[in-house]
Amino acid sequence: MKYALVTGGSRGIGRAVCVKLAAQGYHVLVNYVSNETEADNTLALVAKAGGTGEKMRFDVGNAEETLVAIEAWQEAHQGEYIEVLVNNAGIRKDNLMLWMEPEEWGRVLNITLNGFYNVTRPLLKPMCVKKFGRIINMASVSGIMGMPGQCNYSAAKGGIISATKALAKEVGAKGVTVNAIAPGFIQTDMVEGLDEAELKKQIPAKRFGKPEEVAALVAFLASKDAAYITGDVISINGGLYT
Ligand code: NAP
């Protein structure tokens, strides 16, 4: 059995990624933090797509909780390993820097950057030993161009892009690729409350993207066909920023 772990797989982009990878033959580990009902809904969609999966609850920002969950899985699956990791869990807490509270700064950086560290480190060694692995990090256009009101989010996503490049150099010779995806506006819970009609005017494609469109890119990067792409950040934003 081939295993893929998708953090934040209970909703939005992560859910679409779970369904796509399951359809490609992966047994998907659907990580979530609090929304068990939505994680169950993802699993139902995975089954509908003819795939298999299971829930794996942990807060990616909590180092101990994450390690316990991953080590428990590894203990129960001796000789097997998670060959695809999609670091997708993320939040935004927008505010202008002048008013940004320490909690807003800290939580966004913790979940995105420490989350990347907490989940990736324990999964890396088996990938290197088995000489095959795919790590795909969900960044954002905000981490490339910077967005007002998002100093925290832009910093976190910019950091993820840099970590992607550094890690790709560390493990390139081991058959492990590490890439980042930088979506623009994608139709999920995360963009609720944004002025879609106004924002669409700035997007050459004149629409928000669909989670399934991001999932298709994840699936390609996870495939053997993408073996020679590593350390890169691929934009998917309808032409918003090139
Ligand atoms: P979403 O619909 O808000 O879903 C967020 C997911 O992350 C949920 O499954 C949530 O789990 C999970 N999550 C949040 N905090 C977590 C934590 N501490 N530990 C584990 N899981 C956690 O978001 P989305 O739009 O699909 O975004 C997915 C990723 O794409 C994020 O990294 C986001 O920054 C990035 N992105 C999104 C857009 C966009 O326009 N939507 C654009 C660029 C980049 P629960 O269901 O349990 O809460």
Side-chain angles (χ1 to χ4, degrees):
M1 202 175 257
K2 297 192 304 174
Y3 297 95
L5 168 61
V6 182
T7 68
S10 48
R11 290 184 284 127
I13 293 171
R15 168 179 285 169
V17 170
C18 288
V19 173
K20 186 74 180 177
L21 291 178
Q24 292 202 332
Y26 281 98
H27 181 84
V28 284
L29 308 175
V30 181
N31 163 257
Y32 66 103
V33 64
S34 58
N35 219 326
E36 189 170 10
T37 309
E38 293 300 338
D40 283 329
N41 289 338
T42 297
L43 282 179
L45 291 170
V46 161
K48 205 170 155 198
T52 61
E54 63 192 275
K55 285 178 286 187
M56 201 177 187
R57 200 214 76 81
F58 58 85
D59 175 351
V60 299
N62 182 324
E64 198 187 329
E65 204 175 289
T66 301
L67 195 57
V68 166
I70 291 176
E71 285 185 345
W73 187 91
Q74 288 172 330
E75 196 65 26
H77 295 81
Q78 301 281 337
E80 300 184 291
Y81 81 113
I82 294 166
E83 64 174 54
V84 173
L85 165 62
V86 186
N87 283 307
N88 167 78
I91 59 161
R92 68 180 180 92
K93 289 217 170 282
D94 298 354
N95 209 344
L96 292 175
M97 189 64 167
L98 271 176
W99 292 287
M100 188 172 287
E101 297 292 338
E103 196 268 342
E104 293 167 330
W105 175 264
R107 259 180 72 72
V108 169
L109 268 95
N110 182 48
I111 289 173
T112 296
L113 280 182
N114 294 341
F116 161 79
Y117 170 81
N118 294 338
V119 182
T120 305
R121 200 195 52 78
L123 298 183
L124 198 54
K125 193 172 170 191
M127 289 185 189
C128 292
V129 170
K130 301 276 186 184
K131 297 266 192 303
F132 182 85
R134 295 283 185 265
I135 300 171
I136 298 144
N137 301 319
M138 209 53 72
S140 167
V141 66
S142 182
I144 300 176
M145 65 185 281
M147 293 269 201
Q150 291 199 321
C151 279
N152 51 356
Y153 189 81
S154 295
K157 295 302 192 184
I160 273 295
I161 289 169
S162 296
T164 298
K165 293 180 183 187
L167 183 58
K169 291 191 167 90
E170 291 183 19
V171 296
K174 304 285 187 194
V176 179
T177 67
V178 190
N179 289 290
I181 292 177
F185 294 103
I186 307 297
Q187 200 60 261
T188 71
D189 294 346
M190 189 173 269
V191 298
E192 253 175 35
L194 298 185
D195 187 346
E196 185 172 344
E198 199 50 44
L199 287 165
K200 278 196 298 200
K201 292 180 191 159
Q202 302 166 27
I203 305 169
K206 299 291 170 220
R207 65 174 177 86
F208 281 10
K210 300 179 195 143
E212 292 74 20
E213 291 172 316
V214 181
L217 180 53
V218 172
F220 173 66
L221 289 174
S223 73
K224 291 208 162 75
D225 287 342
Y228 206 52
I229 303 172
T230 194
D232 213 344
V233 47
I234 301 178
S235 290
I236 174 161
N237 62 27
L240 176 64
Y241 186 79
T242 56

